[in-house]
């Protein structure tokens, strides 16, 4: 008999926490609000660990149906949850890292207004994200998909008295809806052609279909539409513009939503849909190209940013591009591996950045920092671990996952590898630039107390992050402990995926292998460039190369050298010769200003789309649709009703002779009509 683990309880626990704090939290003390939020979130993590303890005895995929949901002819979808190796990895990431961020948030948000509201939103986000990853069908996944969009809107705009925060929340919500439109069309096509959205029967049907190598067909179309949805949620070109602005939300929100969970939903969806993409090589190629462009594009912008959170925001976009490269070359397990390690070190980096902001009274400009390593030692050493991890320094988590992606990218195309390598160099440079500017040299700023506003209930709402203490100070232990645990994971988390070339067994790849290998055709050929032959080391997903370890070690050495080169260049420019960056910026002229202003993409979008569609008296949506169609139809109906009633009103004259005449005329008309019908 198949065991029942009540998987539905895992998302339900944080939902209960969200409901309790949302409905009653205003009456609770901050201690009670914290206890409710943490208890239900950590309980979800505990339930996930219980599932892990019983996982080896399951027949996979393990599906638990809670109730029938939707019936329409032969189409049916159940409210059901699915567990396999992929969803288990995501489950542990979301509940584990999410619990640490909840703990950190207690200290970080303690002095903020709307404390209960924040934790209600945070628990609500956890509910929707867990629903997304445990769903056994696309429809339930879509509910979670839209739910995390709603929760992110609420969390990004948490400081709603700030216009920039409110605008950032709306921007994230609207841009994600653009991607969601593509996802919805893909689901409609799946319903029309396969009659189901349940993963198991759907992927079994698709597995029997041939690879669309000759031309774009149904699966290519579906794959490209799914990719559009993934580009919106995972902030890829051209829909990445919402994520940098989302830094207006509290820093724990940046760590949870924009590093560890929500932005990885698109990568997870692509990996979950691998059966479709494996038979749509054109869609895979587009994903790889978009990943390359996004990784490089965002990394160049990150080099010039001075806001500590904006640097990390563009770093997140760039690292998500890496994950897209992995998926685009059909190395899905490598993409999920980097998703996991990225959750560790980027969650750590955002939380450490929040600790820095907390220490200096809300300041986010790195040019006003410096010399903090001795004043906030816990923050310094933990952020050091995260910085070295993301830079790909050997032995740390990012080294193993990044090199796995670069090696798989090289097997597909040297161009993908070259772009990924240069991006790795830029990543190391801008992260060590952040590290040196923040912690080394002399302190250049003064602590500033935050301005205060009022929320809708008249309570104080801090509209700038940080805490208004005098002097630079270390964060409380409730914030430091999650930093330490994430730092440990950032150091050792990659050892589950040590490749054979370095003497490991790549256990992570083997663990996910049954998910991606079960229906995978031979995929590598579709990546070959004209006139090229595939390297002999190529393998399908889930297998370690049997040969070419020497070549892999050489390429590993090249990527490590790129990381150390970035470290050296950052030290040279920001420690040894700090006057050089300004000279270089001046010599680059307009190109530097273009990069500094993020290539003016937001301004271009505003000119081409926002103003014509939304802003101004001549905009299409406001003037053309809202006023010209919606308002006009309502107003015309009202005007017509008024004219008809006015005409009828004048007929009521009170004159009996007039009434009698109308009756006679009506009777004559009825008689004439009856006579005419009788003669036909």
């Amino acid at each position: 008999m198949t065991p029942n683990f009540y998987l539905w309880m895992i998302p339900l626990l944080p939902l209960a926490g969200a409901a309790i704090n949302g409905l009653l939290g205003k009456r609770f003390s901050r201690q009670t609000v914290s206890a409710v939020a943490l208890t239900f979130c950590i309980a979800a993590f505990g339930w996930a660990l219980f599932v892990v303890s019983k996982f080896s005895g399951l027949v996979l995929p393990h599906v638990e149906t809670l109730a029938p949901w939707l019936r329409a002819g032969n189409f049916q979808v159940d409210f059901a949850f699915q567990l396999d190796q992929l969803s288990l990895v995501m489950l542990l990431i979301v509940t584990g890292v999410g619990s640490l961020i909840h703990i950190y948030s207690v200290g970080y948000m303690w002095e903020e207004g709307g404390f209960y509201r924040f934790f209600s939103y945070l628990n609500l986000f956890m509910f929707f994200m867990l629903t997304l990853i445990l769903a056994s069908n696309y429809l339930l996944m879509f509910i979670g998909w839209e739910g995390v969009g709603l929760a992110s809107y609420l969390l990004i705009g948490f400081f709603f008295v700030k216009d920039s925060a409110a605008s950032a929340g709306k921007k994230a919500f609207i841009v994600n809806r653009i991607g969601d439109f593509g996802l919805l069309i893909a689901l409609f096509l799946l319903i029309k052609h396969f009659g189901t959205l349940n993963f198991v029967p759907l992927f079994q049907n698709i597995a029997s279909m041939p690879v669309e190598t000759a031309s774009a067909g149904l699966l290519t179309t579906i794959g490209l539409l799914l990719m559009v949805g993934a580009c919106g949620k995972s902030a890829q070109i051209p829909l990445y513009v919402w994520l940098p602005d989302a830094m207006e939300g509290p820093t724990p929100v940046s760590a949870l939503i924009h590093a560890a969970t929500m932005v990885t939903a698109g990568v997870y969806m692509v990996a979950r849909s691998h059966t479709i993409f494996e038979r749509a090589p054109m869609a895979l190629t587009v994903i790889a190209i978009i990943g390359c462009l996004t990784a490089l594009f965002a990394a160049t912008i990150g080099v010039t940013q001075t806001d500590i959170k904006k640097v990390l925001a563009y770093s997140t976009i760039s690292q998500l591009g890496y994950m897209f490269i992995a998926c685009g070359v059909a190395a899905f397990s490598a993409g999920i591996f980097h998703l996991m390690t990225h959750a560790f070190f980027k969650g750590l980096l955002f939380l450490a950045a929040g600790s820095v902001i907390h220490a200096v009274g809300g300041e986010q400009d790195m040019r006003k920092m410096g010399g903090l390593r001795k004043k906030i030692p816990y923050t310094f050493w933990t952020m050091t671990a995260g910085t070295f991890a993301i830079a790909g320094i050997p032995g740390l988590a990012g080294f193993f996952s990044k090199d796995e992606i670069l090696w798989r990218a090289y097997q597909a195309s040297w161009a993908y590898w070259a772009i990924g390598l240069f991006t790795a160099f830029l990543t190391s440079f801008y992260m060590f630039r952040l590290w040196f500017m923040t912690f080394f040299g002399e302190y250049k700023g003064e602590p500033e107390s935050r301005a205060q506003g009022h929320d809708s209930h008249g309570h104080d709402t801090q509209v700038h992050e940080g805490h208004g203490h005098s002097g630079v100070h270390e964060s409380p232990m409730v914030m430091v402990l999650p930093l330490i645990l994430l730092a440990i994971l950032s150091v050792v988390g990659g050892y589950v995926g040590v490749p054979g070339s370095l003497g490991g067994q790549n256990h992570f790849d083997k663990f996910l292998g049954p998910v991606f290998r079960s229906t995978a055709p031979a995929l590598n050929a579709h990546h070959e460039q004209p006139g090229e032959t595939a390297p002999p080391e190529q393998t399908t997903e889930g297998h370690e190369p049997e040969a070419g370890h020497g070549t892999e070690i050489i390429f590993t050495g090249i990527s490590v050298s790129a990381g150390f080169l970035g470290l050296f260049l950052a030290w040279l420019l920001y420690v040894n010769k700090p006057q050089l960056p300004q000279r270089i910026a001046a010599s680059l002229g307009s190109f530097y200003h273009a990069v500094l202003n993020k290539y003016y993409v937001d301004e271009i979008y505003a000119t081409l789309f926002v103003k014509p569609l939304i802003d101004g008296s001549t905009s299409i949506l406001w003037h053309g649709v809202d006023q010209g169609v919606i308002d006009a139809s309502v107003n015309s109906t009202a005007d017509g009703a008024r004219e008809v009633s006015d005409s009828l009103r004048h007929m009521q004259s009170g004159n009996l002779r007039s009434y009698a005449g109308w009756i006679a005329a009506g009777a004559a008309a009825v008689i004439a009509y009856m006579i005419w019908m009788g003669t036909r």
Side-chain angles (χ1 to χ4, degrees):
M1 181 177 178
T2 304
N4 191 334
F5 294 123
Y6 302 99
L7 295 175
W8 55 273
M9 282 294 296
I10 299 177
L12 187 65
L13 285 167
L15 178 63
I20 292 172
N21 275 334
L23 296 174
L24 305 174
K26 190 176 179 182
R27 306 172 188 174
F28 293 162
S29 66
R30 292 178 183 245
Q31 290 85 351
T32 304
V33 170
S34 304
V36 170
L38 294 183
T39 297
F40 284 101
C41 184
I42 295 174
F45 178 56
W47 204 297
L49 291 178
F50 168 72
V51 172
V52 171
S53 68
K54 304 295 184 181
F55 186 76
S56 60
L58 292 178
V59 177
L60 301 176
H62 173 75
V63 178
E64 294 184 5
T65 301
L66 183 61
W69 187 9
L70 183 61
R71 298 289 188 272
N74 294 327
F75 175 74
Q76 65 179 48
V77 174
D78 294 327
F79 200 87
F81 296 96
Q82 175 175 311
L83 187 69
D84 59 9
Q85 292 89 341
L86 177 58
S87 56
L88 183 68
V89 169
M90 293 296 298
L91 183 63
L92 292 175
I93 293 172
V94 173
T95 57
V97 177
S99 295
L100 292 176
I101 294 172
H102 273 69
I103 295 170
Y104 175 96
S105 299
V106 173
Y108 193 86
M109 300 296 293
W110 190 260
E111 297 181 10
E112 302 289 356
F115 189 76
Y116 74 95
R117 184 165 49 89
F118 176 82
F119 279 99
S120 178
Y121 295 163
L122 213 59
N123 277 181
L124 183 66
F125 171 83
M126 292 288 289
F127 161 70
F128 282 121
M129 189 67 199
L130 290 169
T131 300
L132 188 158
I133 62 177
L134 287 173
S136 70
N137 56 75
Y138 278 111
L139 188 58
L140 187 56
M141 176 190 280
F142 187 74
I143 298 298
W145 186 276
E146 291 298 295
V148 295
L150 170 63
S152 68
Y153 164 76
L154 296 172
L155 287 166
I156 293 168
F158 179 76
F159 297 124
F160 56 83
V161 296
K162 291 172 60 179
D163 288 339
S164 57
S167 297
K170 289 186 289 185
K171 185 176 184 179
F173 193 80
I174 292 171
V175 172
N176 272 275
R177 298 294 76 70
I178 297 172
D180 295 349
F181 179 75
L183 176 57
L184 268 177
I185 299 300
L187 300 191
F188 292 152
L189 288 175
L190 289 173
I191 295 172
K192 175 178 173 59
H193 293 279
F194 299 99
T196 183
L197 292 177
N198 295 312
F199 292 148
V200 173
L202 175 65
F203 295 152
Q204 286 176 347
N205 290 338
I206 294 176
S208 62
M209 299 178 66
V211 177
E212 296 178 349
T213 54
S215 60
L218 172 64
L219 296 182
T220 300
T221 302
I222 293 173
L224 291 174
L225 290 169
L226 291 174
M227 180 208 66
V228 172
C231 284
K233 199 67 74 183
S234 292
Q236 298 293 288
I237 289 176
L239 301 178
Y240 73 93
V241 291
W242 66 270
L243 194 146
D245 288 8
M247 297 302 108
E248 291 290 341
T251 299
V253 173
S254 302
L256 178 64
I257 296 181
H258 308 119
T261 52
M262 172 184 159
V263 292
T264 60
V267 178
Y268 167 75
M269 187 266 287
V270 172
R272 174 60 70 193
S273 308
H274 68 96
T275 307
I276 297 173
F277 287 102
E278 286 163 348
R279 285 151 186 80
M282 184 180 296
L284 279 180
T285 301
V286 173
I287 289 176
I289 292 172
I290 287 179
C292 286
L293 294 177
T294 303
L296 179 61
F297 182 82
T300 59
I301 297 176
V303 168
T304 63
Q305 298 302 299
T306 56
D307 184 314
I308 189 170
K309 288 178 66 176
K310 286 292 181 69
V311 175
L312 296 178
Y314 282 102
S315 171
T316 297
I317 298 171
S318 183
Q319 295 302 304
L320 289 166
Y322 259 106
M323 299 174 207
F324 261 59
I325 294 173
C327 292
V329 300
F332 299 105
S333 66
I336 298 299
F337 186 26
H338 196 60
L339 184 156
M340 181 186 72
T341 60
H342 180 264
F344 298 155
F345 59 68
K346 187 54 67 62
L348 167 62
L349 288 169
F350 267 115
L351 294 186
S355 184
V356 171
I357 295 168
H358 170 95
V360 297
E363 183 59 65
Q364 296 183 196
D365 193 334
M366 297 185 299
R367 295 171 297 184
K368 299 179 181 179
M369 298 179 186
L372 297 178
R373 69 184 186 279
K374 294 181 180 179
K375 299 180 180 181
I376 48 175
Y378 287 111
T379 301
F380 166 68
W381 285 111
T382 53
M383 197 166 194
T384 297
T387 302
F388 277 67
I390 192 175
I393 301 303
L396 279 70
F399 162 74
F400 295 108
S401 60
K402 179 203 69 176
D403 267 44
E404 181 74 9
I405 291 176
L406 288 176
W407 176 240
R408 296 299 181 92
Y410 165 72
Q411 292 178 328
S413 168
W414 66 267
Y416 298 160
W417 171 81
I419 294 174
L421 180 67
F422 186 62
T423 300
F425 159 71
L426 292 178
T427 301
S428 177
F429 173 73
Y430 66 64
M431 285 308 305
F432 282 112
R433 169 179 176 265
L434 179 152
W435 190 60
F436 287 127
M437 290 180 70
T438 303
F439 295 107
F440 292 82
E442 299 296 327
Y443 181 58
K444 307 176 187 66
E446 293 293 335
E448 299 178 1
S449 61
R450 296 175 297 173
Q452 291 189 349
H454 298 280
D455 66 15
S456 59
H457 303 293
H459 300 127
D460 288 339
T461 299
Q462 308 298 341
V463 296
H464 299 289
E465 291 191 74
H467 298 273
H469 300 279
S470 59
V472 179
H473 57 285
E474 184 60 273
S475 299
M477 188 53 61
V478 71
M479 295 170 60
V480 170
L481 181 60
L483 294 181
I484 294 173
L485 294 175
L486 285 171
I488 293 172
L489 290 172
S490 298
V491 172
V492 304
Y495 284 93
V496 298
V498 179
S501 62
L502 298 178
Q505 300 295 321
N506 206 341
H507 295 293
F508 190 86
D509 184 73
K510 291 180 179 178
F511 179 73
L512 290 179
V515 175
F516 300 122
R517 193 171 59 238
S518 58
T519 61
L523 288 168
N524 295 290
H526 81 267
H527 291 295
E528 296 174 20
Q529 304 300 318
E532 293 183 353
T533 58
E537 303 89 354
Q538 289 186 25
T539 62
T540 57
E541 188 69 41
H543 292 281
E544 275 289 299
E546 296 297 333
H549 284 172
T551 304
E552 186 175 354
I553 291 176
I554 293 174
F555 277 84
T556 297
I558 294 173
S559 64
V560 169
S561 300
F564 279 111
L565 179 61
L567 167 59
F568 171 75
L569 188 60
W571 171 83
L572 179 67
L573 295 179
Y574 294 96
V575 177
N576 189 45
K577 296 181 179 180
Q579 71 280 3
L580 274 181
Q582 289 185 345
R583 295 180 184 176
I584 295 174
S587 66
L588 293 175
S590 58
F591 175 74
Y592 172 79
H593 288 286
V595 179
L596 180 63
N597 289 281
K598 297 157 282 191
Y599 298 102
Y600 303 102
V601 171
D602 283 313
E603 290 79 3
I604 293 171
Y605 281 11
T607 301
L608 296 179
F609 304 112
V610 178
K611 291 180 180 178
L613 290 174
I614 300 173
D615 295 340
S617 60
T618 59
S619 69
I620 296 174
L621 289 182
W622 183 73
H623 183 72
V625 177
D626 190 42
Q627 285 190 325
V629 178
I630 299 175
D631 287 352
S633 61
V634 174
N635 294 336
S636 297
T637 301
D639 291 341
R642 184 171 56 251
E643 292 174 1
V644 171
S645 62
D646 187 63
S647 300
L648 294 175
R649 181 175 60 82
H650 283 88
M651 294 174 61
Q652 307 303 316
S653 62
N655 190 321
L656 293 178
R657 292 183 178 179
S658 176
Y659 294 163
W662 281 110
I663 292 173
V670 171
I671 293 171
Y673 175 76
M674 293 177 66
I675 294 173
W676 178 71
M677 289 295 293
T679 59
R680 291 186 65 180

